[in-house]
Amino acid sequence: MNDAAVTAAPEVPPPPERFNFAQHLIDRHAARAAKAAFVDDLGVLSYGALGQRVRQMAAGLRSLGIRREERVLLLMQDTNDWPVSFLGAIYAGLVPVAVNTLLTADDYAYMLEHSRAQAALVSGGLLPALTSAMVKSDHELTKVIVARPVAPLHPAEVEFEAFLAAQAPAPRPAPTAADDPAFWLYSSGSTGRPKGTVHSHANPYWTSELYGTRLLGLREDDVCFSAAKLFFAYGLGNALTFPLSVGATTILMAERPTPEATFKRWAGGVGGLKPSVFFGAPTGYAGMLAHPALPQRDQVALRLASSAGEALPADIGERFKRHFGVDIVDGIGSTEMLHIFLSNRPDRVRYGTTGWPVPGYSIELRGDDGRPVPLNPDGSSEPGDLYIQGPSAALMYWGNRAKSRDTFQGGWTKSGDKYVRNADGSYTYGGRSDDMLKVSGIYVSPFEVEATLVQHPAVLEAAVIGVPDAEGLTKTKAFVVLKAGGAATEDELKAFVKDKLAPYKYPRLIEFVAELPKTATGKIQRFKLREREAAKG
């Protein structure tokens, strides 16, 4: 079952064979030199200053003797220094490796050795973690460039502003090709070691043109704000490649995206700018809607909201729309595809689904036999494994041929997600392929049960897994987090689900918990719940 016929790309010319993505962004906005490109808590970075500083960073990194396609570790909080560092490395023909700021020294030690990074750009507050990683690793860095240091620096370290000030801007970019490696993003690593996902110079061009510009309709007059950080594939598009592609302004936030921090920026608390476009995740939206300080509609300037990272429960989207008068445009993307390839649209939202293929991408659902799932007479389908074909697929997982071959299969990328196709051509999420449950011989989607549980007025979050009973048969168990002040019983929630879904889908067991285990992106780690249950014996 293949939707290629209905997802023909709009007229988007491919990038030229010789193409440097950083140069592409800088050169197209030469006439906007005075306009704000980024605004963080400490100030404004104009388009003109961005171009100047990117070229200075490129010259500085080259002066360290780092050669084309060698890696540079980027461990920085979301400030105006992040895009300068990322684009500066790309402009120089180097490969920035953007890493999660919430990891451990052991994680960073692994990433240093795996990427063989020659230098590191790091925020001052994160320097101790990097220093600990360097002690644990046999890999040595040529130089550590520290932005906004919080303690005196050692001889092998140099302050970010001093490093830039010592450089004349590079007169021209490295003569890279569209298919050359441009940057790495590590997968979330929810199981096993994270995988270094290698993206080309052309890949962010395609996601910006096909999704950011043509599907979302981002404009030059937009002010963008993303709760997802720049080191995530989702956040990188939201807060850097998409707004820079259209000449918009981005608000950057170094702190955690708590409801309070988010509301402050929605209200214009940073630079007086109110975001017109907000990018979040379902967990964040749920927390904001349950927060007592939720702003009123007339206190914000939102015209568009986006969601990804996990499937958006219909109830959250509907409540957000009722409160703010703005739809949440839910979609699914991946590190491997760089951004969203299946999505609702600003003018066509069907809550409870992930929407339709993004123009330029093809979708295929495959059964356990590896063949396309056939369509029913009405155009719907049974569950299948989701495969994607599109121009922004990663080149490979670095140093991991087996997983590269398993994920990147010819022109198709295996997502690891289960989906069904609906009669209207939209798709509904069924959970991760390894999360689907078979109860009494029938597939049950954990997400469907979770999405139903959170419709109960007392429930904030829920996660569903399968647990074996005394006979070794799979039963569904729900872990439920109640809202502050909320109250519900196990029997009440079971009856609630039975009333809304087929009876066999209700959770046989319910455990109330204070919080759910999650990745740094906010995705629920069901495997940790399974491990917890297995440890009980």
Side-chain angles (χ1 to χ4, degrees), residues 436-458:
M436 288 292 287
L437 307 175
K438 210 164 193 178
V439 181
S440 300
I442 306 173
Y443 274 117
V444 174
S445 162
F447 175 76
E448 184 181 23
V449 182
E450 294 161 2
T452 302
L453 283 166
V454 299
Q455 293 177 37
H456 189 282

Side-chain angles (χ1 to χ4, degrees), residues 118-373:
Q118 298 301 299
L121 293 128
V122 59
S123 294
L126 300 170
L127 181 58
L130 178 63
T131 302
S132 296
M134 292 167 64
V135 171
K136 294 172 179 286
S137 169
D138 293 330
H139 182 76
E140 294 185 4
L141 292 169
T142 301
K143 185 71 71 174
V144 177
I145 302 156
V146 185
R148 311 183 191 193
V150 296
L153 301 180
H154 297 294
E157 301 162 353
V158 60
E159 194 270 331
F160 187 92
E161 291 298 332
F163 183 73
L164 285 186
Q167 313 301 327
R172 63 186 64 85
T176 52
D179 287 338
D180 282 351
F183 60 94
W184 290 18
L185 298 172
Y186 273 97
S187 67
S188 59
S190 57
T191 57
R193 286 290 195 181
K195 300 178 288 293
T197 311
V198 183
H199 281 285
S200 71
H201 282 262
N203 285 1
Y205 167 86
W206 284 116
T207 58
S208 297
E209 294 295 326
L210 294 175
Y211 185 75
T213 300
R214 283 160 177 77
L215 190 141
L216 284 186
L218 295 185
R219 311 184 305 236
E220 180 183 358
D221 62 347
D222 276 321
V223 176
C224 299
F225 173 46
S226 175
K229 299 301 185 180
L230 284 163
F231 57 76
F232 297 128
Y234 181 47
L236 180 64
N238 303 341
L240 195 153
T241 64
F242 294 177
L244 288 188
S245 290
V246 299
T249 297
T250 299
I251 296 172
L252 294 178
M253 180 174 72
E255 63 185 298
R256 289 178 55 245
T258 62
E260 296 89 344
T262 300
F263 297 159
K264 173 184 175 181
R265 285 152 183 85
W266 281 5
V270 175
L273 293 171
K274 289 188 175 184
S276 59
V277 182
F278 175 70
F279 301 87
T283 300
Y285 283 113
M288 289 188 290
L289 288 169
H291 199 279
L294 181 70
Q296 296 304 307
R297 183 183 302 193
D298 60 1
Q299 294 177 295
V300 304
L302 297 176
R303 74 170 186 87
L304 179 66
S306 164
S307 179
E310 287 189 293
L312 179 76
D315 179 65
I316 292 176
E318 290 162 355
R319 285 192 286 131
F320 190 91
K321 175 65 178 289
R322 284 195 300 270
H323 187 84
F324 289 110
V326 175
D327 276 311
I328 299 178
V329 179
D330 183 38
I332 182 175
S334 67
T335 305
E336 290 76 11
M337 295 302 296
L338 188 56
H339 214 273
I340 290 172
F341 48 79
L342 181 63
S343 181
N344 284 271
R345 305 172 188 186
D347 60 349
R348 192 183 186 192
V349 172
R350 182 182 169 191
Y351 287 123
T353 79
T354 313
W356 296 263
V358 171
Y361 293 84
S362 301
I363 299 298
E364 189 167 277
L365 299 185
R366 299 181 186 176
D368 293 340
D369 59 1
R371 297 179 180 179
V373 172

Side-chain angles (χ1 to χ4, degrees), residues 32-97:
R32 295 188 176 96
K35 183 179 179 180
F38 295 96
V39 181
D40 68 8
D41 289 342
L42 297 183
V44 177
L45 181 65
S46 68
Y47 272 92
L50 173 66
Q52 174 86 356
R53 289 165 73 83
V54 164
R55 292 184 174 99
Q56 287 177 289
M57 176 58 70
L61 292 173
R62 286 176 179 170
S63 74
L64 298 178
I66 306 174
R67 296 172 295 183
R68 284 274 301 276
E69 296 187 14
E70 289 186 324
R71 272 74 65 194
V72 176
L73 194 78
L74 180 53
L75 175 59
M76 303 184 78
Q77 293 165 332
D78 279 24
T79 67
N80 292 345
D81 298 329
W82 205 104
V84 170
S85 303
F86 182 77
L87 295 175
I90 291 175
Y91 194 88
L94 311 181
V95 178
V97 180

Side-chain angles (χ1 to χ4, degrees), residues 1-5 7 336-337 341 357 360-366 370 372 385-391 393-394 403-415 427:
M1 193 281 304
N2 188 329
D3 266 344
T7 60
E336 290 76 11
M337 295 302 296
F341 48 79
Y361 293 84
S362 301
I363 299 298
E364 189 167 277
L365 299 185
R366 299 181 186 176
D385 294 309
L386 179 69
Y387 285 73
I388 314 102
Q389 188 177 64
K403 286 192 177 295
S404 292
R405 294 181 67 177
D406 182 58
T407 299
F408 306 107
Q409 301 181 9
W412 294 90
T413 301
K414 182 172 71 174
S415 73
Y427 288 77

Side-chain angles (χ1 to χ4, degrees), residues 7-32:
T7 60
E11 291 301 319
V12 179
E17 183 177 347
R18 179 164 167 169
F19 182 71
N20 182 290
F21 184 68
Q23 178 195 26
H24 165 74
L25 291 181
I26 291 170
D27 288 357
R28 75 188 308 178
H29 300 306
R32 295 188 176 96

